[in-house]
Amino acid sequence: MSILRVENLSVSFGQTPIFQDVSFELNAGDWLMMIGPNGCGKSTLVRAISGAVPYAGRILYLDEDIRRLRPGELARNIGILAQNHYVGYAFTVREVVRLGRYAYRRNRGGDPEGESQIRRALELTGMNALADKSVLHLSGGELQRVFLAQLFAQAPRVLILDEPTNHLDLIYQKQVFELVSEWRKEPGRAVISVVHDLSLARAYGTQALLLYEKRALAQGSMERVFDPAYLNTAYGMDVAAWMRTMLSQWS
């Protein structure tokens, strides 16, 4: 049984279609990379899965339509890291990470594992030393790690990351992708990432979904989706040649 299955998903804003008839499956251990040129609908697809925009089609979590799941149940199983974070409050790092346990604290039995999950998330993301510092005084990379820690504390089975390293320095890109890679090693977990950097996608992904002209142009293994015939069509250029040119600067 797949963890997450998307069937014939379509999103339109008014009379304007954003994408149509997108389908894919996510199994335990998968890291699905959503790629494609700007404006192809990658972030909107993520927002549809999170319930932020209306859609046609079905999204199934463990064979159950997510429309039937209560918000708390959905939050305990699917976690989403947005592309940008606005912070206008002087919470500490620990307090922000603790918000990841909100869906658990509403249970009748309380949240007996909450503090241990928070400590583990802080340790995993290297934020222990900053746990009592205000998030208003953090760098962009540190803030991204705080929200990633919040997501780890949430302890979902599926992580959905919308451009998780957008605007981050190289060291933070490396840290975030390696943290997620380590998180994914636990049994029963899977990841979906929206990415623009094809090198990162190829390095960490187990499968890919290439969106182009409002549809899935290619999907499946990294080898299949990264075939030049698909990439060159989607990006309107010789992608491999461009990548080789860029890498040659380091030889």
Side-chain angles (χ1 to χ4, degrees):
M1 178 193 303
S2 59
I3 297 179
L4 192 72
R5 188 165 76 250
V6 171
E7 297 179 345
N8 305 114
L9 200 69
S10 300
V11 171
S12 298
F13 293 156
Q15 299 299 314
T16 304
I18 306 303
F19 61 81
Q20 297 176 307
D21 296 323
V22 172
S23 301
F24 64 86
E25 288 192 17
L26 190 71
N27 297 307
D30 284 346
W31 191 338
L32 173 68
M33 297 293 183
M34 289 186 184
I35 61 175
N38 288 336
C40 67
K42 300 184 297 294
S43 293
T44 302
L45 199 159
V46 166
R47 294 179 66 203
I49 296 174
S50 70
V53 296
Y55 60 85
R58 293 203 307 167
I59 303 170
L60 305 174
Y61 173 75
L62 297 179
D63 281 347
E64 184 169 3
D65 195 317
I66 64 171
R67 288 188 176 107
R68 299 175 184 170
L69 299 179
R70 294 180 178 180
E73 186 178 1
L74 190 62
R76 290 191 294 272
N77 290 287
I78 300 176
I80 298 173
L81 183 67
Q83 186 175 140
N84 297 301
H85 304 287
Y86 171 75
V87 178
Y89 43 80
F91 282 9
T92 66
V93 167
R94 193 188 313 276
E95 288 170 333
V96 172
V97 174
R98 183 172 285 120
L99 291 174
R101 302 300 298 178
Y102 179 77
Y104 294 87
R105 294 200 301 271
R106 293 175 62 87
N107 285 340
R108 290 182 180 179
D111 185 21
E113 297 181 2
E115 288 307 311
S116 64
Q117 290 284 0
I118 292 166
R119 286 194 299 271
R120 185 180 180 189
L122 288 169
E123 290 171 2
L124 184 60
T125 53
M127 297 303 293
N128 253 335
L130 301 176
D132 298 315
K133 186 174 182 178
S134 167
V135 294
L136 296 179
H137 301 141
L138 300 181
S139 69
E142 289 168 339
L143 190 61
Q144 187 75 331
R145 281 190 288 158
V146 170
F147 282 97
L148 187 60
Q150 182 189 91
L151 204 57
F152 287 164
Q154 188 177 327
R157 290 189 64 182
V158 178
L159 288 188
I160 302 178
L161 313 172
D162 188 2
E163 283 294 327
T165 57
N166 192 33
H167 305 309
L168 296 188
D169 291 339
L170 288 176
I171 184 62
Y172 293 122
Q173 291 183 25
K174 180 176 182 289
Q175 287 176 353
V176 168
F177 272 84
E178 289 186 351
L179 284 170
V180 174
S181 183
E182 189 66 25
W183 178 90
R184 185 176 60 93
K185 292 178 182 178
E186 291 290 329
R189 292 177 172 178
V191 182
I192 298 174
S193 293
V194 173
V195 289
H196 279 297
D197 190 322
L198 297 182
S199 294
L200 284 172
R202 191 161 192 172
Y204 289 93
T206 63
Q207 58 175 311
L209 173 68
L210 173 59
L211 294 177
Y212 175 64
E213 292 191 343
K214 302 180 174 62
R215 295 185 182 274
L217 177 63
Q219 62 190 101
S221 69
M222 302 303 292
E223 292 76 14
R224 170 179 167 78
V225 177
F226 274 66
D227 186 300
Y230 294 127
L231 289 184
N232 295 353
T233 296
Y235 290 95
M237 60 183 288
D238 188 332
V239 173
W242 172 250
M243 292 297 186
R244 285 192 293 270
T245 299
M246 291 297 98
L247 288 173
S248 69
Q249 310 302 314
W250 297 93
S251 60

